[in-house]
Amino acid sequence: MLGSTHGTLTTDFRARVEACGETPRAAVHSTATAEDTAALDVSGRPLHSDVPDLDRFFRPESVAVVGASDAEGRPNTGITRQLIAWAERVGARVHPVHPTRTTVFGLPCHPSVAALPEQVDLAVLLVADPVSVIEELADTKVKFAVAFASGFAETGDAGAAAQARLAAAVRRSGLRLLGPNTNLNAFQEFRDDLDGPAIALITQSGHQGRPVYTLQELGIRLSHWAPTGNEADLETSDFISYFAERPEVGAIACYVEGLKDGRSFLLAADRAARNKVPVVAVKVGRTETGARTAASHTGKLTGADTVVDAAMRQFGVIRVDGLDELQDTAALLARARPPRADGVVVYSISGGTGAHFSDLATEAGLTLPTLSEAKQAELHQWIPSYLDVANPVDNGGHPVGDWRGRKIIDALLADPSVGVLICPITGPFPPMSDRLAQDLVDAAEATDKLVCVIWGSPVGTEEAYRTTLLGSSRVATFRTFGNCITAVRAYIGHHRFTASYRSPFADAPRTPSPSHRKAQALMRSGQQLSEHAAKQLLRAYGIRVPREQLVTSAAAAVRAAGLVGYPVVMKASAPQLAHKTELGLVKVGLTSASQIRDAYRELTDIARYENVPLDGILVCQMIERGVEMVVGVTQDPLFGPTVTVGLGGVLVEVLGDTAVRVPPFGEDQARTMLRELRGHALLEGVRGAPPADVDALVEVVLRVQRMALELGDELSELDINPLMVLPRGQGAVALDALAVCL
């Protein structure tokens, strides 16, 4: 961990903290500006979101405790006692509310909210049914309320209906509600003796935030904890937006069980990315299949968690698996300065340790540059010549009795290719490990580069660990190789991402394109279009399709082949016809009139036997040379339309090599999608094949995205498979297409 009570602020946050001091309550109000208007994109979805003014929630001046009690043995008594203590710490006045009590813990108690002597900022509801109280709070203009009660959406259909009634009452009231099914974590005591950028914590399950909260014992500052519960009103996205504007917040740590609204989450993540505030999240649900009945390949390939994962990466949210990873990654990102270089150097007292860690780090994508010959020669002044110092650097045992150890570390940190130094110490070996820890701390205090230590001892009571390492704000100390690698990779990735980040919402289309009207004329509500109609839809958006004609007789097919040019492909065309190849309804490589007539007869016979109502037979230009890809659109229940690209052809479902994005996104994300594919090398040319026209493929992806945005409420699925990507400079051609209308 980056420990100590004397942290050093990151460059990004120092200016903001100095400008605002400790940000007194009045300093940060709603940050809604001219950008936070009701602007909508062409699909009708918002392009901006307001930042809720939660100052009076976290730092109220007056609090009503509805259902307060001081009777021994009652659950509300302990909660009331804790709330009174919290209010005293934050300087708030407390007003107990109970219909039959005159005092609670010596404080005057009022029979109702209406009888309170002043308008309160926050009402804490210790009642089983908060709906009636919400209506009463509306009349007294209370700003915020917290509902602890359970028995809502977490219990099933009846509870969900009760929560819907609660949410409706909150909307009518004008106040903002945290919960229901939440707890007291928002009113925890936070240490006020810790410096440096803080972690703001958001959890849907209260206990899942405990590991992050206890980071305070290691010197890591926490500023807020938002236990969102069932999110009948206030949700994770609201708190991300608010925390992203707080100058004392260095990182946002989240435990998420389910997102309430996909677009709200993306807008909040976008705000954090623009403000360069890292968001680290555990999102449960990786094993959910998200399977849906879908006619297209794309629909079968894109599960719900796949979309969530892609959306997080798209907007820079760092997804981790464990709570230990959440705490270590958030702590590092909150406090470490931006890297000056991406290179990682591994410094170890054991060749085996260095080799083991380097393998894991390299496999995880970290860059371990080979140190220059000059740098290696410099290191060999203090390290025996028979030891390898190329990276990892094996010192054979850190010098204990003189100044050489510090010289080695300083030399490594001085290398311009090195941005991070990592020293894995698999176990204590005093006095060597003690001197090594002190030299690392001293070197870290004198550099702006990141120094990480992995203290592998299972005991963790050693003086070098508890005092030397955790006593430094400039050394990031970890207990496992894996957590160190995860955190450092996130640290480098976050700063690389935000350095070039541009909000996709800034460029999202707001008005329909000329293609939209053409496309709407082709849509058939609730139907799957024929291949011919689906290709017309593609043509409307400027996506190239083969030369082809739809015919209804063998003679017309022969004439069409002459116009299209031999060889040709013949295919059955009909609505509701998804997979023609499996039914034998595709004939390829036809080179003569007799083959055309035979193929026509065979295709119509199969269609009659399979009871497929044809709208005709397609006679198509045959295109063979290229890389087969798939590009598609599916509807996600959380995020709306999504765009998928991957390796296509008849094995598309077997290969499952796809990448997905949530519109809006730009060309950079479209190219990133391609780089994510395991088969990306096929586009670069393999085994003598020429490189594919990647620019044309990217253009198709962006045009399909425009379709997804403009036809989002009308298009259930789109599947272009295969999209034949021709050699560089020759374009891409949609050989087949399937479209399902909503």
Side-chain angles (χ1 to χ4, degrees), residues 202-345:
I202 305 168
T203 61
Q204 283 183 289
S205 172
H207 289 297
Q208 293 296 85
R210 287 288 162 190
V212 177
Y213 178 75
T214 55
L215 282 173
Q216 294 174 105
E217 298 306 310
L218 301 179
I220 307 297
R221 181 184 173 200
L222 259 74
S223 59
H224 306 79
W225 189 348
T228 60
N230 284 15
E231 300 189 350
D233 177 35
L234 286 170
E235 57 182 299
T236 297
S237 303
D238 292 315
F239 290 101
I240 291 175
S241 294
Y242 174 74
F243 293 147
E245 297 288 346
R246 298 290 304 183
E248 75 271 29
V249 172
I252 303 169
C254 309
Y255 172 82
V256 182
E257 293 178 351
L259 295 173
K260 181 178 176 182
D261 178 79
R263 178 52 73 98
S264 295
F265 177 77
L266 297 185
L267 289 169
D270 171 71
R271 184 177 295 275
R274 285 186 282 123
N275 289 351
K276 302 184 185 303
V277 179
V279 180
V280 187
V282 170
K283 168 65 176 69
V284 299
R286 283 195 185 276
T287 59
E288 295 175 357
T289 62
R292 302 186 298 277
T293 302
S296 72
H297 297 294
T298 306
K300 293 177 182 176
L301 290 167
T302 306
D305 191 65
T306 304
V307 179
V308 171
D309 198 60
M312 286 185 168
R313 282 185 283 109
Q314 185 176 335
F315 285 87
V317 176
I318 300 153
R319 188 175 184 183
V320 296
D321 291 323
L323 298 179
D324 56 335
E325 293 177 324
L326 180 66
Q327 65 179 17
D328 282 357
T329 304
L332 176 62
L333 283 164
R335 299 175 69 93
R337 298 169 179 174
R340 291 175 54 187
D342 289 351
V344 173
V345 66

Side-chain angles (χ1 to χ4, degrees), residues 389-455:
V389 295
N391 194 12
V393 175
D394 178 9
N395 61 27
H398 189 73
V400 173
D402 56 39
W403 42 263
R404 289 175 298 156
R406 175 68 188 276
K407 283 283 190 180
I408 295 169
I409 297 170
D410 286 343
L412 293 173
L413 290 170
D415 192 294
S417 69
V418 171
V420 182
L421 183 149
I422 301 176
C423 182
I425 304 174
T426 51
F429 190 58
M432 184 189 301
S433 54
D434 295 359
R435 180 59 184 265
L436 173 57
Q438 188 61 59
D439 283 345
L440 288 164
V441 167
D442 292 343
E445 297 290 347
T447 182
D448 57 0
K449 294 185 178 181
L450 176 61
V451 176
C452 300
V453 176
I454 302 151
W455 190 261

